[in-house]
Amino acid sequence: MKTLTITLSLVAMLLYCNSSLAAQDHSEFIEGPFTTGSQVTTQCIECHEDHAADFMKSSHWTWELEQTLPGRTVKRGKKNTINNFCVAISSNEPRCTSCHAGYGWKDNNFDFSDMTKVDCLICHDTTGTYVKDPAGAGEVLAKVNLERVAKNVGTPVRDNCGTCHFYGGGGDGVKHGDLDSSMSYPDKRTDVHMDVDGNDFQCQECHTTKDHQITGNAMGVSPGGDNPIGCINCHDSAPHKKQKLNDHGQAVACQTCHIPEFAKNEPTKMSWDWSTAGSNREQTTDEYGKHSYMKKKGDFVWAKNVKPQYAWYNGKADAYMAGDKMQANSVTKLTHPLGDINDPHAKITPFKVHTGKQIYDKKLNIFITPKVFGKGGYWKTFDWDKAARLGMEQNQNMVDKGIKYSGEYGFAATEMWWPINHMVSPKEDALKCKDCHSQQGRLDWQALGYEGDPMKVKGGQRHTK
């Protein structure tokens, strides 16, 4: 009887460990105390090794994906993207990798095959007390009670995802514009899908997940567009009672009418000029209480209730890759949507366009990945030449291509396009006809390839299907 009891207990534990319906209380299986996150993971994988292995195949772990851009196939992700916020992760890892779902990514020597470095708790914490060190390469703050967190894991909620996605680019709402802290517990006006008193969707309601592979990648890091999600995953392709509105859906993305503005509650950064950094000008703040000038970072422009910019988008984009040539006298589009008026797969889509001015190599005509954080970094030395040299020396991608900093730098204009998909307004707040089809309409018809407003210009060029 004793043997049978032990066997039944073992079976019960294994069923508990492998069931997607398992309760949150892991008290029976977690034994602390813990001083590091890896110690917790070591116990997690006693039952969940397969789950950790699946996660290690995801872009949340690798921070790169193989994808096709026009004329080439590349490996691209947060690991090697050049942006116009903090520019690059390389050489700045302890700060930037504080959002990696792992522990200890300090430099190019991080071991992506070490399962104990997977951070299970960042996604599965239900206590709201789990906090990573902002400059600790993904390690946990010492004050966190890891045993308590580990014993109370559960299904991710918006706060888990938002820990990183609401704060990308260095602060609340900085990067995306349609993702910020207000999306943790939004009202109906902020987002009709996530409204806590309404649908109360969690992120995975749309970003469906299987084996830790999450659908829907950000265009900035994954311009290949190979993992899309869309409104018609839930909604009918002709959802309106009026056929005229359904006809618009052939050329106009749902988001265009149903997200008339973004950054509804928290301001988002619209411009970052690195060229003015280093001056002893007085540090200033704007009407939102956000820095408009910092010696460490230069000039910023913030905005709230922003009207998107609009462009044709077929679900794929092009992007600047480290080492690509650029022209200093023109604006370089670090990411931009693909599609035009004659593309049968493209629709007019809303975007946040973030502009910047950032460091480049005058002789090589490429953008530099400067070291800004840590020893020798610009934020310590205010020496762009040193920051450029150290950053390029520590950028493995540049080293592999044989690219070395020439010793001459300047600053050039850039822009990044970010699709707007969140902060969906209630239907009564959707755009009306006059919002586009009037003299004060928000669409630039000529820029979109029309001869004029297609409702008014007889024979005007129209989107073809």
Side-chain angles (χ1 to χ4, degrees):
M1 177 62 74
K2 183 177 181 180
T3 301
L4 177 60
T5 301
I6 294 174
T7 302
L8 288 174
S9 298
L10 180 61
V11 169
M13 185 183 77
L14 291 174
L15 287 172
Y16 181 100
C17 289
N18 288 285
S19 172
S20 60
L21 301 176
Q24 293 178 356
D25 186 2
H26 276 53
S27 299
E28 291 185 59
F29 315 112
I30 298 295
E31 183 177 351
F34 305 103
T35 57
T36 68
S38 287
Q39 290 174 351
V40 176
T41 302
T42 298
Q43 289 197 21
C44 292
I45 60 179
E46 289 180 10
C47 290
H48 297 289
E49 182 176 357
D50 289 346
H51 295 115
D54 287 339
F55 176 76
M56 293 170 74
K57 299 172 186 175
S58 75
S59 58
H60 272 89
W61 173 254
T62 63
W63 275 16
E64 66 177 3
L65 288 171
E66 184 175 286
Q67 51 197 299
T68 301
L69 304 183
R72 55 182 172 171
T73 298
V74 300
K75 278 193 173 183
R76 179 183 170 91
K78 290 178 69 68
K79 182 187 289 186
N80 62 358
T81 295
I82 292 181
N83 62 51
N84 56 6
F85 292 89
C86 290
V87 185
I89 286 168
S90 181
S91 78
N92 302 300
E93 287 88 354
R95 180 65 183 89
C96 299
T97 55
S98 63
C99 261
H100 183 239
Y103 303 117
W105 184 356
K106 297 178 181 179
D107 52 35
N108 291 330
N109 296 316
F110 180 70
D111 185 358
F112 285 91
S113 67
D114 186 348
M115 189 174 286
T116 67
K117 297 300 183 183
V118 170
D119 182 354
C120 308
L121 302 181
I122 191 66
C123 294
H124 294 285
D125 168 44
T126 67
T127 68
T129 64
Y130 185 77
V131 183
K132 284 174 171 275
D133 184 337
E139 299 290 358
V140 188
L141 282 179
K143 68 178 183 180
V144 175
N145 184 334
L146 286 169
E147 184 173 6
R148 179 194 171 204
V149 174
K151 288 181 176 181
N152 291 279
V153 292
T155 302
V157 295
R158 290 185 298 269
D159 268 335
N160 295 100
C161 305
T163 297
C164 288
H165 290 288
F166 296 165
Y167 297 90
D172 191 3
V174 167
K175 186 178 289 185
H176 296 277
D178 61 346
L179 289 172
D180 59 38
S181 60
S182 70
M183 294 291 280
S184 288
Y185 301 96
D187 57 14
K188 185 177 180 180
R189 173 193 161 273
T190 300
D191 189 281
V192 73
H193 295 118
M194 296 187 178
D195 171 22
V196 292
D197 294 319
N199 292 311
D200 199 23
F201 284 1
Q202 301 302 321
C203 301
Q204 56 268 39
E205 189 75 28
C206 294
H207 294 275
T208 55
T209 304
K210 182 179 180 181
D211 298 331
H212 281 87
Q213 306 301 309
I214 303 174
T215 57
N217 297 115
M219 193 184 91
V221 292
S222 299
D226 297 325
N227 190 22
I229 61 175
C231 302
I232 59 172
N233 286 12
C234 294
H235 297 280
D236 189 274
S237 59
H240 304 98
K241 293 179 181 178
K242 294 182 179 180
Q243 185 57 41
K244 193 66 175 177
L245 293 178
N246 290 329
D247 291 344
H248 274 64
Q250 298 297 307
V252 181
C254 304
Q255 297 93 320
T256 296
C257 294
H258 290 280
I259 313 178
E261 59 186 22
F262 58 90
K264 296 178 180 180
N265 302 295
E266 299 295 330
T268 189
K269 192 171 287 184
M270 299 301 295
S271 181
W272 185 334
D273 184 352
W274 278 100
S275 71
T276 60
S279 168
N280 288 321
R281 288 163 44 194
E282 180 182 357
Q283 183 168 289
T284 56
T285 56
D286 64 11
E287 60 186 301
Y288 309 115
K290 298 290 188 179
H291 291 300
S292 53
Y293 179 76
M294 295 178 68
K295 181 178 180 179
K296 287 171 57 175
K297 299 181 179 182
D299 282 287
F300 305 127
V301 175
W302 297 79
K304 281 181 67 174
N305 299 311
V306 183
K307 289 182 180 180
Q309 293 191 42
Y310 299 92
W312 293 103
Y313 182 39
N314 62 18
K316 296 183 178 297
D318 201 357
Y320 180 92
M321 294 291 294
D324 285 355
K325 295 294 183 181
M326 45 75 73
Q327 297 296 323
N329 58 356
S330 61
V331 177
T332 300
K333 294 183 178 182
L334 298 180
T335 56
H336 63 95
L338 296 176
D340 58 40
I341 194 170
N342 296 310
D343 184 339
H345 302 292
K347 295 185 178 184
I348 298 172
T349 303
F351 290 87
K352 170 188 170 179
V353 180
H354 183 268
T355 62
K357 201 168 184 181
Q358 60 200 88
I359 191 170
Y360 79 100
D361 190 303
K362 280 188 171 183
K363 283 190 174 181
L364 299 179
N365 285 322
I366 63 170
F367 283 108
I368 289 169
T369 55
K371 180 175 178 60
V372 296
F373 176 82
K375 185 177 180 180
Y378 182 77
W379 292 340
K380 294 283 189 182
T381 66
F382 296 103
D383 183 339
W384 277 120
D385 185 71
K386 184 175 184 179
R389 177 176 54 80
L390 289 175
M392 296 290 275
E393 286 175 352
Q394 295 175 40
N395 186 323
Q396 193 61 51
N397 190 53
M398 296 291 195
V399 172
D400 291 344
K401 292 180 178 180
I403 299 174
K404 297 182 179 180
Y405 168 54
S406 72
E408 294 187 26
Y409 68 88
F411 293 87
T414 58
E415 62 184 34
M416 289 190 78
W417 290 64
W418 298 84
I420 298 299
N421 294 303
H422 308 91
M423 296 192 177
V424 178
S425 295
K427 62 181 180 180
E428 57 268 23
D429 294 335
L431 294 183
K432 307 299 187 291
C433 299
K434 66 180 181 179
D435 289 312
C436 297
H437 300 288
S438 68
Q439 284 189 335
Q440 290 75 40
R442 59 175 61 199
L443 295 184
D444 184 338
W445 297 110
Q446 282 76 25
L448 291 168
Y450 292 92
E451 293 180 15
D453 184 340
M455 194 173 82
K456 300 177 182 179
V457 177
K458 188 175 181 179
Q461 188 181 16
R462 296 172 183 269
H463 185 271
T464 58
K465 272 285 183 182

